[in-house]
């Protein structure tokens, strides 16, 4: 995704847009929020929904749940 890392937000102007409309504090909160999102979610006990895809090495939900998500991917 284009806002999953602070580095990516500089390439696609997400950071600049946030700073123009708000300030550095809001940008930091925005980035912190994305760092806290789960890798994916199971919907209706049927579908695994993920934002940008996952590694082929993550073959079970247990392996996904073992990831330390807090922080930059």
């Amino acid at each position: 995704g284009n806002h999953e890392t602070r580095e990516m937000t500089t390439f696609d102007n997400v950071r600049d847009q946030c700073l123009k409309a708000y300030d550095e504090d809001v940008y930091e909160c925005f980035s912190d929020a994305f760092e806290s999102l789960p890798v994916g979610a199971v919907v209706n006990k049927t579908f695994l929904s993920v934002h940008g895809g996952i590694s082929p090495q993550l073959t079970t939900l247990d392996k996904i749940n073992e990831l330390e998500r807090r922080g930059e991917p």
Side-chain angles (χ1 to χ4, degrees):
N2 59 346
H3 16 273
E4 291 176 348
T5 66
R6 292 172 201 275
E7 181 181 13
M8 287 303 299
T9 63
T10 62
F11 292 134
D12 63 6
N13 296 324
V14 170
R15 183 179 188 277
D16 292 339
Q17 292 171 18
C18 190
L19 295 178
K20 182 178 178 182
Y22 303 103
D23 60 22
E24 186 74 27
D25 290 336
V26 171
Y27 170 72
E28 287 299 320
C29 288
F30 173 83
S31 294
D32 289 346
F34 271 92
E35 290 177 359
S36 300
L37 292 173
V39 172
V42 177
V43 180
N44 292 331
K45 298 180 183 179
T46 304
F47 301 100
L48 175 62
S49 175
V50 295
H51 180 232
I54 56 174
S55 168
Q57 295 172 327
L58 299 173
T59 56
T60 66
L61 290 177
D62 287 336
K63 287 184 180 181
I64 294 171
N65 287 331
E66 290 171 3
L67 293 174
E68 177 57 46
R69 179 59 183 106
R70 185 86 172 129
E72 295 244 352

